[in-house]
Amino acid sequence: NAVIGRYKLIVQNTSSGSSSTANLGTFVLLFNPWSSGDDVFLPNKAECEEYVLEEFGIIFAGNKHHINSFGWNFGQFQEDILNICLSMLDRSLNYRQDPATDVSHRYDPKYVGRVLSAMVNSNDDQGVVLGNWSGNYEGGKNPSSWTGSGEILQNWKKSGFKPVRYGQCWVFAAVLTTALRCLGIPTRTITNFSSAHDADENLRVDEFYDASGNHLNRGADSIWNFHVWNESWFSRSDLGPSYTGWQVLDATPQEESGGIYRCGPASRNAIKEGDIDLDYDCPFIFAEVNADCMYWNYDPTNGKNTLMFSESTVIGQFISTKAVGRDDRVDVTNDYKYAEGSTKERDVFKKARKKLGLEDKFDPTAAKPKEIDQKPDISGKFKVAGTLQVGKDLNLILVLANLTSNDKTVQVNMTAWSTVYTRRPVHEIWKDSVSVNLAPQEEKQFPIQIPYTEYQEHLTTDNTIQVTALCHVAGGIQVLVHRDITLDNPDIDIQVLGEAELNKEVDVEVIFTNPIDMEVMDCVLQVEGSDLLRGILQIDVPPLKAGEKSRTKFKIIPSERGLKHLLVNFSCDKFADIKAHKIINV
């Protein structure tokens, strides 16, 4: 339980009544997950290897229909990273306000984790990374172009500790992973799909649509396609043994906690059991994986909101992390909540509402007011037809079914918007409306095609599109059909041309074929890899005509033996941040 950080080591020599001291130098004391007395003790050796010593990680993204992943270079043992992580502690608000008290708390992983969750974002304290979710990243780097934490942390120090532009959730989570692993706290990244941002702490998120089916940017609540946070492993002497283990920390600046943008540590067991009155920030994290959704139709003429429907099982799906010792996805949803739809899950939800003093407030999933009692006359869904790839036309099928034994006339207003991964609409790319007659119990399919030429210039670097159909049923309630689409980038291939040996040059070739029938320009290849090359290699690649293949060669000199990861990121004017990684056995 000693305070972590930099120590001076001095030897005192006393002989025949006189004494002299000699300064032997400095050392840095870290948390020790291998030591059974330590708060961060992790009994499983393979987990210590992965969650403390491993410098490479896999981060999951996309959406619940279509999970994808990319590599990340945490690089916690690379040059100067330890010094920078100690600087993060010394530049925190707590240290600036009262250095002695701050340092005296640094024996405690929950204190250090909470301080770093504030310092990784730049809000409040000139921390490491400035967030930007606008879709416009001028004046900085697009969040999806980073491939590792090292460059970000080095840039922060080099600029005189000015926030690095720009980050989004996985960048904050990855940088926090680097800092915590560097200090000896076992840490991993977690991706939650259909993640709720419940701004008003009522365990419910509200979404608003207009009569044309446009998803409106109204209200502070939102449902993100995915959100990435961290789990760190340590004991919770403040809460008791049943809350020891994985603790949720989140450095993405979403809501203030005690007046500062930080989040956690919240015991994962407390989240699962609905004990959301325990420290820290449990209600927000509970909502991220459990909130109920309310979908409203907003009428701008009178400012009236009409509830269309509510759902209690869509939030918090496929909660994912990288497997120990492998690049596979492991699903940890059951560690956050009981099975959706089970009575136990609803009981925990009610318990959480009670702890927040919400039991008397309108609960859409319990007491159903009249407007929800009315059953919809039709159902609808979007099906994907064909491949979901940037550069190809987007083909969908809207399936509408009449659930009644009467004829139904339906006016369908459809829109498609480019979005960022938080589902914030950025630009309309397509709209259409159609009037449909459905015989009793009839199902009809309507093919939709959104050509590449229509969405190409408005697509964000997240490659995400939200398609909605608002169905106005004559004499019935409105039905909202929506789907979030994530398009895949084309592939890129990495070839190592020869044996990788310690301190010897070896050639690497990166191959990319332009898959679209127009020229791509402004092509840049970015390469990094801990113990394979120093810093970041950036190579300008000539423009590629339609169907043309580029082969880009460069040299690496491995500086350590073992399994190492090379990460590449290829960008051009038509494709943003195509990522690949390769394991190289040195």
Side-chain angles (χ1 to χ4, degrees):
N1 61 359
V3 165
I4 61 134
R6 197 174 274 108
Y7 284 78
K8 279 200 186 86
L9 188 60
I10 295 166
V11 62
Q12 189 170 25
N13 180 17
T14 311
S15 71
S16 61
S18 71
S19 76
S20 61
T21 58
N23 193 352
L24 293 184
T26 61
F27 66 89
V28 178
L29 187 72
L30 305 176
F31 293 102
N32 185 355
W34 287 269
S35 165
S36 60
D38 202 299
D39 278 341
V40 302
F41 174 59
L42 185 58
N44 182 320
K45 294 284 181 286
E47 290 183 355
C48 285
E49 291 276 325
E50 178 74 43
Y51 299 136
V52 183
L53 298 181
E54 180 55 68
E55 292 190 72
F56 172 81
I58 300 275
I59 296 173
F60 296 93
N63 66 46
K64 65 183 177 192
H65 302 294
H66 189 77
I67 296 174
N68 55 39
S69 66
F70 54 89
W72 190 274
N73 185 18
F74 294 123
Q76 64 268 33
F77 303 122
Q78 299 307 299
E79 195 178 353
D80 216 25
I81 296 299
L82 176 58
N83 290 330
I84 298 170
C85 292
L86 294 172
S87 299
M88 286 165 74
L89 293 173
D90 289 346
R91 302 189 73 80
S92 70
L93 292 178
N94 293 28
Y95 183 84
R96 282 185 241 169
Q97 283 154 5
D98 185 348
T101 305
D102 172 74
V103 170
S104 73
H105 281 112
R106 291 186 190 175
Y107 68 90
D108 182 355
K110 50 179 191 299
Y111 180 82
V112 171
R114 189 157 169 80
V115 166
L116 290 176
S117 89
M119 275 306 294
V120 166
N121 67 65
S122 68
N123 305 48
D124 316 304
D125 49 26
Q126 289 291 295
V128 181
V129 180
L130 178 63
N132 179 344
W133 285 266
S134 69
N136 172 10
Y137 308 115
E138 276 173 47
K141 270 186 77 154
N142 172 344
S144 60
S145 68
W146 303 107
T147 47
S149 309
E151 186 188 2
I152 295 169
L153 290 164
Q154 305 276 10
N155 286 1
W156 183 58
K157 183 182 176 180
K158 272 187 209 130
S159 70
F161 301 104
K162 288 190 182 67
V164 176
R165 298 159 186 256
Y166 293 106
Q168 290 171 352
C169 66
W170 65 92
V171 181
F172 295 108
V175 172
L176 186 55
T177 301
T178 298
L180 293 169
R181 285 187 185 181
C182 182
L183 298 176
I185 301 177
T187 302
R188 60 191 190 178
T189 60
I190 298 287
T191 302
N192 179 38
F193 290 93
S194 296
S195 188
H197 178 165
D198 171 25
D200 46 8
E201 229 177 67
N202 61 358
L203 304 190
R204 157 187 138 193
V205 285
D206 300 296
E207 288 211 333
F208 300 90
Y209 293 81
D210 66 13
S212 310
N214 293 309
H215 178 189
L216 303 174
N217 215 353
R218 277 180 67 76
D221 290 353
S222 52
I223 304 164
W224 297 16
N225 281 331
F226 68 92
H227 178 43
V228 186
W229 60 69
N230 297 89
E231 285 178 357
S232 291
W233 179 277
F234 46 84
S235 65
R236 290 299 297 265
S237 49
D238 58 325
L239 303 180
S242 58
Y243 300 104
T244 281
W246 289 114
Q247 311 293 323
V248 177
L249 288 159
D250 191 346
T252 298
Q254 294 184 91
E255 296 294 328
E256 292 182 352
S257 171
I260 294 174
Y261 280 98
R262 58 188 170 184
C263 184
S267 160
R268 196 179 68 181
N269 293 352
I271 303 294
K272 181 166 182 174
E273 298 302 335
D275 297 326
I276 61 172
D277 48 342
L278 301 179
D279 287 344
Y280 296 86
D281 306 310
C282 284
F284 184 76
I285 297 160
F286 183 88
E288 286 183 306
V289 298
N290 276 309
D292 286 344
C293 301
M294 315 285 289
Y295 298 92
W296 303 86
N297 178 224
Y298 171 72
D299 184 347
T301 55
N302 57 14
K304 195 166 169 252
N305 295 315
T306 313
L307 185 66
M308 292 186 282
F309 68 109
S310 69
E311 289 175 315
S312 62
T313 59
V314 297
I315 295 293
Q317 302 199 34
F318 302 110
I319 307 176
S320 305
T321 193
K322 176 188 174 299
V324 173
R326 305 192 318 279
D327 287 356
D328 305 336
R329 185 182 80 86
V330 174
D331 195 294
V332 293
T333 311
N334 293 338
D335 297 322
Y336 276 87
K337 55 184 177 179
Y338 292 93
E340 284 290 1
S342 66
T343 43
K344 182 73 177 160
E345 185 266 340
R346 281 290 97 182
D347 288 347
V348 167
F349 189 79
K350 285 185 191 123
K351 173 181 174 183
R353 276 182 70 86
K354 191 171 179 188
K355 292 201 173 207
L356 286 176
L358 296 169
E359 66 261 26
D360 313 322
K361 306 253 180 13
F362 168 54
D363 177 4
T365 54
K368 300 217 170 187
K370 280 202 295 296
E371 69 254 37
I372 310 188
D373 237 13
Q374 196 182 346
K375 289 258 191 306
D377 296 328
I378 65 160
S379 71
K381 64 180 173 203
F382 282 112
K383 291 204 316 208
V384 172
T387 57
L388 295 176
Q389 277 196 317
V390 181
K392 303 260 197 305
D393 297 345
L394 175 57
N395 288 293
L396 302 169
I397 297 165
L398 174 63
V399 183
L400 294 179
N402 183 352
L403 305 174
T404 70
S405 43
N406 306 318
D407 290 338
K408 289 290 168 192
T409 305
V410 187
Q411 173 65 30
V412 185
N413 296 336
M414 296 175 284
T415 64
W417 283 70
S418 64
T419 64
V420 282
Y421 77 98
T422 61
R423 291 178 59 255
R424 193 179 75 80
V426 175
H427 207 290
E428 184 179 77
I429 50 184
W430 171 86
K431 66 176 174 194
D432 197 6
S433 59
V434 54
S435 187
V436 179
N437 293 310
L438 292 171
Q441 310 295 334
E442 184 186 13
E443 182 177 284
K444 274 188 181 168
Q445 299 199 347
F446 303 90
I448 294 165
Q449 183 175 64
I450 304 174
Y452 173 56
T453 47
E454 277 189 34
Y455 73 73
Q456 176 246 316
E457 62 186 296
H458 298 306
L459 194 63
T460 65
T461 51
D462 293 336
N463 297 345
T464 47
I465 294 172
Q466 188 185 28
V467 189
T468 58
L470 193 58
C471 307
H472 301 267
V473 186
I477 58 171
Q478 296 170 336
V479 173
L480 175 73
V481 186
H482 61 116
R483 175 131 185 188
D484 295 290
I485 307 285
T486 303
L487 301 175
D488 283 332
N489 272 325
D491 289 333
I492 190 164
D493 189 34
I494 308 170
Q495 302 281 346
V496 183
L497 310 172
E499 286 288 310
E501 293 181 40
L502 188 65
N503 298 328
K504 289 191 182 161
E505 276 191 350
V506 62
D507 285 317
V508 177
E509 187 173 57
V510 173
I511 302 157
F512 174 71
T513 306
N514 175 8
I516 56 176
D517 51 13
M518 53 181 94
E519 186 177 50
V520 301
M521 327 213 336
D522 310 325
C523 308
V524 178
L525 183 69
Q526 181 180 303
V527 188
E528 77 167 281
S530 288
D531 307 326
L532 293 173
L533 43 98
R534 289 178 76 100
I536 308 268
L537 188 63
Q538 194 160 309
I539 304 166
D540 289 333
V541 179
L544 289 169
K545 293 193 172 54
E548 192 182 348
K549 180 181 283 195
S550 78
R551 295 175 172 271
T552 310
K553 263 192 188 173
F554 54 89
K555 294 183 187 313
I556 58 171
I557 305 176
S559 57
E560 292 267 349
R561 288 191 182 84
L563 292 179
K564 302 295 166 188
H565 290 83
L566 190 73
L567 295 90
V568 304
N569 186 75
F570 178 84
S571 277
C572 59
D573 64 338
K574 300 286 190 287
F575 300 103
D577 307 311
I578 302 173
K579 289 179 162 23
H581 60 267
K582 188 160 187 81
I583 299 175
I584 297 179
N585 189 3
V586 180

